[in-house]
Amino acid sequence: MKITATAVALFLWALGSAFAVSPQDSCVTCHSALEGKQAEPARLFAADVHRQVGLGCADCHGGDPKDESMNAMSRAKGFRGAPKKAQVPEFCARCHADIAYMRRFNPKLRVDQLSQYLTSVHGKRLKQGDTKVAACVDCHGVHNMLPASDTRSPVHPTNVASTCARCHADAEHMKGYKTPTDQVARYLKSVHAEMLAQGDTAAPTCSTCHGNHGATPPGVTSVANVCGTCHVFFEQLFVKSPHQAAFARMGLPGCVECHSNHEIVKPADDWVGVGAKAVCVNCHAVGDKGYAAAQKMAGDLARLKTFLGRAEEILGTAERSGMGVSGPKVELTNAHEALVKARVNVHSFNEPEVRKLTEQGVDIAQKAYQAGVVALRERDVRRKGLGISLIFIVLAVSGLYLKIRQIESGSRT
Amino acid sequence: MASLYRQILNWLDERFGAGAVEDFLRHKTVPIHRHTIWYYFGGMTLFLFVIQVLTGILLLLYYRPTPDDAFESVQHIMTQVRFGWLIRSVHSWSANLMIFTAFVHMFSVYFLKGYRKPRELTWITGMLLFFVLLGFGFSGYLLPWNTLAFFATKVGTEMAGAIPVLGKWLLVFLRGGEEVTGATLTRFFGFHVAVLPGLATVLLAMHLLLVQHLGMSVPPGVERATAEGRATARVMPFFPNFLLRDIIGWYVALGVLGALAAIFPWELGTKADLFAPAPAGIRPEWYFLFMFQTLKLLPARIFFLEGELVGLLGFSLAAAIWVVVPFLDYRAGFGRVTRFFTGLGIFALGFIVAMSFLALW
């Protein structure tokens, strides 16, 4: 009986705790009763990530949320009010640069945002008194901040470009700076934006190349490194290539020189070579070694593609004729792989290396083509076999018909 | 030569009375009238069944009924085994032609009232054989373990699962578990090469014995015309006249099968992936299309029952009526043709054709 009573008491206590009303926050109570701009913080804060981890207005703005009088916002109660734009980074950094404090909420969260920010163009300009530049709240929002992993957050990968565009695509806002305002429009035409739009959040957006808190345009010499964080093989080949030193000497940014920066479209094979769309001829002219190498590399790629096309065509014909060519088709994927490798190796600008790979692909494609020839021959054999067997069937049917006639004419007479 | 044949026959006659068989064949006749053509479809179905048995045995030499090997073994048969492509394609095409000829045979017997007294059991064994053939088709479809077959089996067994009371048990029994897995493949293989052939052998033996015992049915119209003196009863000897005609039909079927196998070898598709989403355009074999389309067209709820359940109950009831039609249309046994049952047959045939075309549209 005693045990039952204790259990009931414990249960009621647990129930009471679960449904206990949190102590009233006077900031929220008063600001909710206000109108317009002054009511907004209380309204927005309900969904804010800080609110979700149990922080209140006073944790940033100071004051006493238990005091229901105006005295709650007195200096004596530690009220700090809203920071001025120039003070925002340090205002946020009081907590976000404090390892011990941040560890209580998320041990994985970085605490170097302020130090990074101070190295960025935004941070440096803010220090110089330019309050038009972005500080924390310009990108993350105020009172309705969400984790970057939340798709509604302005700093979620899918929203970063439009967040940056709020300032960087605004010609009026950017007046007085040397920065162009078409970067986002150009980025949106890129293969990176296309992949991101398809839901691939690993695809790069502005902050992937420029950094987020330490946002700065990559320098001429570091472009390849930036691209190389994702395109590792391309970078490795490029830094070993003769172009690396030549570009550095001429002050040309590596990858960007051929692929552009923001409007990075899907590359095509005709970029290599000396044709109308070739980028090699931007620097190389008839007679120089690079021109000849570009011409040969384009020839190597074209040769492999021709062999691949032939093999695909004949295997397709064989397959449509009902022949089983799944084996050679699987083999042919290795030739496609060789083409991909050769395209990557173009970045070594080493023609013999490219040729080695394309010739491997040509060998495979030729074997697949031969398999297609054999399959078509087999198809013809089958059809001839069918023709011959049909002749025998017709003969047998005719013989049977005549036999029936013979039997039945005999029985009639 | 003739004396050697006579000697062998005498030898057999002394041991099990083979002479009686010869005597039976010598005296067996087939009626001749304007509907005689329909008599050939039973023999044609039997011929295609024999083709199925023979090609099936050959396929068994190489086929491996496991999820890891099934697809590859059929691929091996199609590409590496000498004439494997021919055997597999003939097996697949012949299965479809056999079901088609079985449909024709069934409806011709129905419309010519071949189920009349005393042939009720011939009809019932024929109907059961027809269900066994559909079972062969359903179980065999999964055996290559390709994507289309995998998902069609999933949908098909789900339908069985919707049957009240027994549904859940039936689904688990068919699948060998809750889902279509390797266990389903092994089970279907067992049905296809052991259970159904056993049933088919018994039913076929009964069906053929009944056909031989009772002879071919003459349609009531022809019977009436003969009785009224408007036509004369003509017959032809079964052996060799009818049999030779049968053989002509079998040769033609063989030629058609060969041509289909050589020009349109049966496709294998892609290997089934248990975790892949269902591709678009999943549908069963053509002979199940009318049911598939009907269930698709039914509303989600009909009164207080699920639409699918109503459809399945409807088909079950229709099949039951179809099986016992000789007892329902007992007046036909006295030569009286009831328009209702002829109309029912026309409706059933029209419904099957219309729904199948609608599904293919």
Side-chain angles (χ1 to χ4, degrees):
Chain A
M1 189 67 187
K2 203 173 172 183
I3 294 169
T4 314
T6 315
V8 169
L10 272 172
F11 173 73
L12 291 174
W13 175 79
L15 202 67
S17 306
F19 288 93
V21 178
S22 58
Q24 202 55 271
D25 185 326
S26 63
C27 315
V28 176
T29 312
C30 294
H31 276 268
S32 301
L34 294 172
E35 283 179 1
K37 211 176 162 185
Q38 287 194 304
E40 205 169 67
R43 185 177 57 80
L44 294 174
F45 194 58
D48 192 288
V49 66
H50 298 103
R51 173 79 183 83
Q52 304 306 317
V53 296
L55 298 175
C57 313
D59 290 294
C60 294
H61 298 286
D64 183 3
K66 287 180 191 141
D67 189 338
E68 290 177 8
S69 71
M70 289 299 281
N71 203 30
M73 295 195 297
S74 67
R75 295 279 168 207
K77 296 271 187 177
F79 184 68
R80 284 185 290 277
K84 294 210 165 28
K85 175 77 177 266
Q87 297 166 336
V88 167
E90 280 79 11
F91 187 85
C92 298
R94 283 187 314 110
C95 299
H96 281 274
D98 183 342
I99 296 176
Y101 183 75
M102 291 307 293
R103 197 178 287 145
R104 286 164 50 190
F105 303 101
N106 184 353
K108 287 190 292 183
L109 212 63
R110 293 175 65 160
V111 287
D112 62 347
Q113 293 96 330
L114 178 64
S115 53
Q116 282 219 27
Y117 177 75
L118 294 175
T119 66
S120 73
V121 174
H122 296 145
K124 284 178 188 165
R125 283 194 169 272
L126 189 70
K127 283 287 163 209
Q128 288 162 11
D130 180 355
T131 54
K132 276 171 72 185
V133 295
C136 316
V137 292
D138 295 297
C139 301
H140 291 276
V142 198
H143 301 124
N144 59 349
M145 288 178 213
L146 294 166
S149 56
D150 191 314
T151 51
R152 295 167 301 167
S153 165
V155 291
H156 183 267
T158 53
N159 300 327
V160 165
S162 55
T163 300
C164 297
R166 286 211 304 260
C167 299
H168 283 275
D170 182 347
E172 187 59 35
H173 185 88
M174 296 305 289
K175 202 185 279 176
Y177 301 107
K178 290 174 188 164
T179 323
T181 52
D182 62 349
Q183 302 99 316
V184 175
R186 289 174 58 214
Y187 166 77
L188 291 175
K189 291 180 199 163
S190 74
V191 67
H192 293 150
E194 193 184 314
M195 286 164 65
L196 201 59
Q198 285 166 7
D200 182 356
T201 50
T205 181
C206 314
S207 55
T208 319
C209 301
H210 294 278
N212 41 18
H213 302 103
T216 310
V220 165
T221 51
S222 57
V223 165
N225 297 337
V226 171
C227 301
T229 53
C230 298
H231 301 283
V232 182
F233 292 125
F234 297 85
E235 188 219 353
Q236 285 173 357
L237 292 166
F238 181 80
V239 295
K240 285 184 205 157
S241 80
H243 278 136
Q244 164 80 344
F247 275 33
R249 229 179 10 253
M250 294 159 75
L252 297 174
C255 317
V256 170
E257 198 52 32
C258 300
H259 292 276
S260 167
N261 47 6
H262 299 106
E263 195 178 334
I264 301 165
V265 295
K266 199 172 178 356
D269 286 335
D270 55 8
W271 287 17
V272 181
V274 294
K277 291 183 183 167
V279 292
C280 310
V281 289
N282 292 347
C283 300
H284 295 286
V286 183
D288 74 34
K289 265 171 69 181
Y291 187 91
Q295 204 166 19
K296 281 183 188 167
M297 282 193 292
D300 296 337
L301 293 176
R303 182 173 141 80
L304 174 53
K305 282 199 293 181
T306 306
F307 277 88
L308 264 172
R310 258 166 38 112
E312 273 170 353
E313 194 185 337
I314 197 164
L315 290 178
T317 310
E319 197 167 43
R320 283 191 296 279
S321 308
M323 305 304 297
V325 285
S326 52
K329 279 185 88 178
V330 169
E331 282 299 311
L332 201 60
T333 57
N334 293 330
H336 279 284
E337 224 167 78
L339 179 63
V340 173
K341 281 184 191 166
R343 282 170 176 157
V344 173
N345 259 270
V346 164
H347 297 86
S348 71
F349 307 99
N350 183 343
E351 193 273 324
E353 273 301 310
V354 174
R355 173 169 293 210
K356 205 157 81 183
L357 289 162
T358 54
E359 285 309 304
Q360 281 173 11
V362 167
D363 280 348
I364 299 167
Q366 274 181 318
K367 281 180 191 148
Y369 179 81
Q370 277 310 314
V373 171
V374 170
L376 286 185
R377 210 178 290 146
E378 167 71 14
R379 178 200 63 179
D380 295 341
V381 168
R382 287 182 189 184
R383 290 190 178 173
K384 276 179 199 153
L386 169 69
I388 293 166
S389 62
L390 285 181
I391 290 171
F392 280 108
I393 286 174
V394 169
L395 285 174
V397 167
S398 309
L400 286 168
Y401 175 73
L402 292 173
K403 180 72 184 165
I404 292 168
R405 282 195 61 177
Q406 185 201 1
I407 293 168
E408 290 182 354
S409 64
S411 66
R412 273 198 291 271
T413 54
Chain B
M1 193 67 187
S3 96
L4 179 67
Y5 169 73
R6 185 49 49 199
Q7 275 178 11
I8 293 171
L9 209 66
N10 288 340
W11 190 88
L12 291 172
D13 190 31
E14 283 166 13
R15 274 141 192 93
F16 70 95
V21 177
E22 193 205 5
D23 197 43
F24 172 76
L25 284 176
R26 199 189 299 280
H27 293 101
K28 181 178 165 60
T29 56
V30 175
I32 303 175
H33 48 77
R34 61 198 167 100
H35 300 299
T36 302
I37 182 87
W38 301 111
Y39 290 149
Y40 294 100
F41 281 91
M44 184 72 86
T45 309
L46 177 62
F47 171 72
L48 292 168
F49 182 77
V50 172
I51 296 261
Q52 285 305 96
V53 173
L54 296 178
T55 51
I57 289 169
L58 292 174
L59 290 173
L60 263 180
L61 301 179
Y62 290 95
Y63 178 72
R64 294 188 297 273
T66 66
D68 289 337
D69 293 338
F71 182 85
E72 283 76 5
S73 65
V74 179
Q75 201 169 38
H76 178 77
I77 289 168
M78 290 293 281
T79 57
Q80 306 297 318
V81 178
R82 204 165 175 77
F83 291 112
W85 63 273
L86 183 67
I87 300 299
R88 196 241 163 180
S89 289
V90 165
H91 191 75
S92 303
W93 275 115
S94 170
N96 284 275
L97 285 184
M98 177 178 68
I99 298 214
F100 175 74
T101 54
F103 259 112
V104 175
H105 180 52
M106 178 181 75
F107 274 106
S108 63
V109 170
Y110 182 89
F111 287 122
L112 296 176
K113 310 285 176 190
Y115 53 72
R116 290 177 302 147
K117 186 185 171 188
R119 295 185 176 80
E120 298 96 328
L121 287 177
T122 320
W123 170 263
I124 290 172
T125 50
M127 279 311 302
L128 295 178
L129 258 176
F130 183 70
F131 294 141
V132 167
L133 293 191
L134 293 181
F136 268 119
F138 187 61
S139 55
Y141 194 47
L142 179 69
L143 300 189
W145 200 243
N146 58 27
T147 307
L148 207 61
F150 174 78
F151 285 103
T153 304
K154 215 170 168 172
V155 175
T157 47
E158 253 162 35
M159 283 182 190
I163 295 169
V165 190
L166 282 177
K168 177 75 178 167
W169 176 86
L170 193 62
L171 181 131
V172 173
F173 172 72
L174 286 172
R175 290 183 174 179
E178 297 282 341
E179 293 294 329
V180 176
T181 58
T184 320
L185 179 66
T186 320
R187 198 157 280 219
F188 272 41
F189 178 69
F191 293 148
H192 196 75
V193 303
V195 179
L196 294 173
L199 280 174
T201 308
V202 174
L203 289 169
L204 191 60
M206 286 166 69
H207 192 70
L208 292 176
L209 274 174
L210 286 166
V211 169
Q212 299 316 316
H213 178 66
L214 298 167
M216 305 286 206
S217 159
V218 178
V222 177
E223 261 183 359
R224 219 172 18 252
T226 313
E228 289 167 4
R230 287 184 283 114
T232 48
R234 291 193 299 136
V235 291
M236 75 168 114
F238 174 80
F239 185 84
N241 302 43
F242 186 80
L243 187 64
L244 287 177
R245 283 179 168 84
D246 246 350
I247 294 172
I248 288 180
W250 299 348
Y251 262 119
V252 171
L254 203 61
V256 170
L257 279 179
L260 287 171
I263 300 167
F264 307 108
W266 203 262
E267 277 188 21
L268 182 57
T270 52
K271 187 174 177 171
D273 180 356
L274 272 62
F275 303 106
I282 287 292
R283 60 176 179 222
E285 287 277 60
W286 63 269
Y287 38 87
F288 291 121
L289 275 182
F290 71 98
M291 287 198 263
F292 175 74
Q293 184 64 19
T294 310
L295 296 178
K296 230 167 80 174
L297 291 180
L298 285 174
R301 290 201 82 79
I302 299 171
F303 299 114
F304 58 93
L305 290 171
E306 274 183 35
E308 191 179 345
L309 180 61
V310 173
L312 289 170
L313 289 175
F315 282 122
S316 307
L317 187 67
I321 290 173
W322 201 251
V323 172
V324 298
V325 82
F327 304 106
L328 300 176
D329 187 17
Y330 62 92
R331 285 156 61 126
F334 308 110
R336 279 177 286 174
V337 176
T338 319
R339 280 189 186 165
F340 172 77
F341 285 97
T342 309
L344 188 73
I346 293 169
F347 172 76
L349 184 61
F351 180 82
I352 290 170
V353 172
M355 282 296 169
S356 303
F357 271 104
L358 208 61
L360 291 169
W361 214 262

